[in-house]
């Protein structure tokens, strides 16, 4: 005879265990989903996507009136191309930030909340790219294969134009700085020239006065090897006449002869 009570106990245990695990898993997923929904978005609101969806919904009749505003396909294509261009910028931002953010997460420099925000933004971008390709194929056959190539060219052109504008603005500022610097250098140089001219004029005026200083001429050595005494020293005006042989004037010569 089968003991149903002994068999029911293990099945009841397994049922309780499986039920508790399922309840825990559902609660955990709901809590994680609510926490992810409460996180701040990685990117701001997608304005280009909102504009495209607004134009797309204008084709549908409103509840108040049966008439629908017809939007040309060219405007829809331009709006979708703008949307794809913005997606290109966001893809570049995500790819450039992923490696650095993963490194910081491995080191513990950033929290798990930031990483969850990044993963959600990456998932949203994947869905956005698929949506753009579908919309492009709906507007024109096989346009989804080339729309991002055109959007990439537009994004590159916008970056180059922005860089050129920055360089031009900086060139204008550099030009103004250089003009001020050149004017300052010119003023300082002219001041230095004026100071040099004043010094030259002062030297010329000092030479024009002609002030002479007396020069002392000592008597040469005598025949016995003795030097003349201090009384034989003769004062000669600087700039006075000298003989071709390098001797002093006649007055000095006569005085030396008298002392001999």
């Amino acid at each position: 005879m089968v003991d149903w009570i002994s068999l029911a106990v293990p099945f009841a245990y397994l049922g309780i265990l499986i039920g508790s695990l399922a309840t825990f898993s559902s609660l955990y997923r709901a809590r994680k989903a609510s926490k992810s929904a409460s996180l701040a978005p990685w990117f701001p609101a997608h304005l280009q996507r909102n504009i495209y969806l607004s134009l797309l919904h204008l084709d549908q009749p409103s509840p108040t009136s049966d008439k629908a505003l017809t939007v040309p396909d060219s405007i829809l294509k331009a709006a979708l191309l703008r949307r794809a261009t913005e997606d290109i910028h966001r893809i570049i931002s995500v790819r450039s930030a992923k490696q650095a953010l993963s490194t910081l997460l491995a080191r513990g420099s950033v929290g798990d909340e930031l990483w969850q925000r990044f993963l959600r933004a990456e998932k949203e971008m994947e869905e956005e790219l698929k949506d753009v390709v579908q919309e492009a194929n709906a507007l024109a056959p096989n346009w989804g294969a080339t729309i991002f190539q055109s959007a990439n060219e537009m994004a590159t052109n916008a970056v180059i134009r922005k860089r050129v504008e920055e360089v031009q603005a900086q060139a204008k500022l550099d030009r103004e700085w250089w003009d001020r610097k050149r004017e300052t250098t010119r003023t300082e140089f002219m001041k230095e020239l004026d100071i040099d001219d004043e010094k030259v004029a002062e030297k010329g005026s000092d030479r024009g006065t002609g002030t002479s200083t007396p020069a002392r001429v000592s008597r040469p050595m005598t025949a016995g090897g003795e030097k003349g005494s201090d009384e034989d020293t003769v004062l000669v005006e600087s700039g006075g006449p000298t003989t071709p042989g390098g001797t002093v004037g006649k007055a000095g010569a006569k005085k030396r002869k008298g002392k001999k």
Side-chain angles (χ1 to χ4, degrees):
M1 184 176 181
V2 179
D3 190 0
W4 295 102
I5 297 175
S6 61
L7 291 176
V9 172
F11 285 108
Y13 175 76
L14 290 176
I16 294 172
L17 182 61
I18 293 172
S20 60
L21 290 176
T23 304
F24 175 77
S25 177
S26 61
L27 291 176
Y28 177 77
R29 290 180 181 178
R31 186 178 179 181
K32 187 176 181 181
S34 62
K35 187 177 180 180
S36 300
S38 62
L39 294 176
W42 187 267
F43 294 109
H46 204 316
L47 182 61
Q48 288 76 8
R49 180 180 59 189
N50 297 337
I51 292 174
Y52 173 77
L53 294 177
S54 300
L55 293 174
L56 191 63
H57 291 162
L58 289 176
D59 290 336
Q60 299 177 0
S62 61
T64 57
S65 62
D66 295 336
K67 295 182 179 179
L69 297 176
T70 304
V71 180
D73 291 341
S74 59
I75 296 178
L76 290 176
K77 290 180 179 179
L80 186 60
L81 199 57
R82 288 290 183 182
R83 178 181 175 183
T85 304
E86 179 63 23
D87 292 339
I88 290 293
H89 291 298
R90 297 193 176 196
I91 289 171
I92 294 174
S93 178
V94 167
R95 289 180 179 177
S96 60
K98 185 174 184 178
Q99 184 176 1
L101 190 60
S102 60
T103 303
L104 293 175
L105 182 65
R107 295 178 180 177
S109 301
V110 296
D112 187 65
E113 182 179 352
L114 186 64
W115 180 250
Q116 293 297 329
R117 288 175 54 195
F118 178 78
L119 292 179
R120 188 179 69 176
E122 191 175 16
K123 186 177 181 181
E124 289 177 355
M125 287 306 305
E126 292 178 359
E127 296 176 355
E128 172 68 14
L129 296 181
K130 294 178 181 178
D131 191 12
V132 170
V133 171
Q134 292 176 0
E135 293 291 337
N137 291 327
L139 291 175
N142 298 326
W143 191 32
T146 59
I147 184 172
F148 283 106
Q149 182 178 358
S150 303
N152 188 21
E153 294 176 358
M154 292 179 61
T156 305
N157 189 17
V159 171
I160 294 174
R161 190 185 300 111
K162 183 179 180 181
R163 181 58 180 168
V164 169
E165 291 176 356
E166 292 177 355
V167 170
Q168 289 177 354
Q170 186 65 30
K172 185 178 180 181
L173 296 176
D174 293 343
R175 181 65 180 177
E176 294 176 356
W177 176 85
W178 172 247
D179 292 339
R180 292 194 301 268
K181 182 66 175 179
R182 183 178 60 181
E183 187 65 25
T184 304
T185 305
R186 180 176 176 275
T187 304
E188 294 176 356
F189 184 69
M190 293 302 295
K191 287 181 180 179
E192 292 179 359
L193 289 180
D194 293 339
I195 293 173
D196 293 340
D197 293 341
E198 291 177 359
K199 289 182 180 180
V200 172
E202 290 177 358
K203 289 182 180 179
S205 61
D206 292 341
R207 290 178 181 177
T209 55
T211 56
S212 59
T213 57
R216 178 172 294 180
V217 179
S218 300
R219 186 174 180 180
M221 300 289 292
T222 60
E226 296 180 357
K227 187 176 180 180
S229 62
D230 293 338
E231 296 178 356
D232 296 335
T233 303
V234 181
L235 296 177
V236 180
E237 294 291 335
S238 63
T242 58
T243 59
T247 59
V248 297
K250 293 181 179 181
K254 289 181 180 181
K255 190 171 181 180
R256 287 199 301 271
K257 287 180 182 181
K259 292 203 175 187
K260 286 181 180 180

